[in-house]
Amino acid sequence: MKKLSILGSTGSIGKSALDLVDLYPDRFQVSTLAARKSVDALYDQALRYRPQLIALENEEAARELRGRLPRVEVLSGLEGVVQAAVHP
């Protein structure tokens, strides 16, 4: 099974990538999601795909998501997005 990091997961390309995960759940697992500031959309994606790590570029949005998902590691800022990109 391939583990995927989906950067920009709330945008059109990210959503298309997640559509492929939905089509082939036996082939792909989402390990990381990242977005700019779409807390509600990222929250829904986190519940569905159960990633190990989430990153939001916007610090305030990351704080809000941490409150909603206390058991998931939520990073913030550009550094957090970079960590999401290189997450195993």
Side-chain angles (χ1 to χ4, degrees), residues 37 39 56-66 76-77:
K37 61 180 181 178
V39 175
L56 281 143
E57 185 178 357
N58 182 281
E59 306 260 349
E60 186 177 321
R63 265 193 302 277
E64 183 179 337
L65 192 61
R66 278 186 205 106
S76 61

Side-chain angles (χ1 to χ4, degrees), residues 29-88:
Q29 176 186 0
V30 176
S31 66
T32 307
L33 293 171
R36 184 168 304 219
K37 61 180 181 178
S38 301
V39 175
D40 291 333
L42 204 50
Y43 176 77
D44 291 341
Q45 289 175 351
L47 294 180
R48 181 178 184 112
Y49 298 103
R50 306 210 179 273
Q52 298 170 342
L53 177 74
I54 297 173
L56 281 143
E57 185 178 357
N58 182 281
E59 306 260 349
E60 186 177 321
R63 265 193 302 277
E64 183 179 337
L65 192 61
R66 278 186 205 106
R68 290 185 179 185
L69 298 169
R71 295 185 179 154
V72 178
E73 184 176 7
V74 178
L75 304 177
S76 61
L78 181 58
E79 186 176 306
V81 174
V82 169
Q83 287 185 21
V86 299
H87 188 265

Side-chain angles (χ1 to χ4, degrees), residues 2 8-9 21-22 41 60 65 81:
K2 297 278 185 182
S9 67
V21 172
D22 291 339
E60 186 177 321
L65 192 61
V81 174

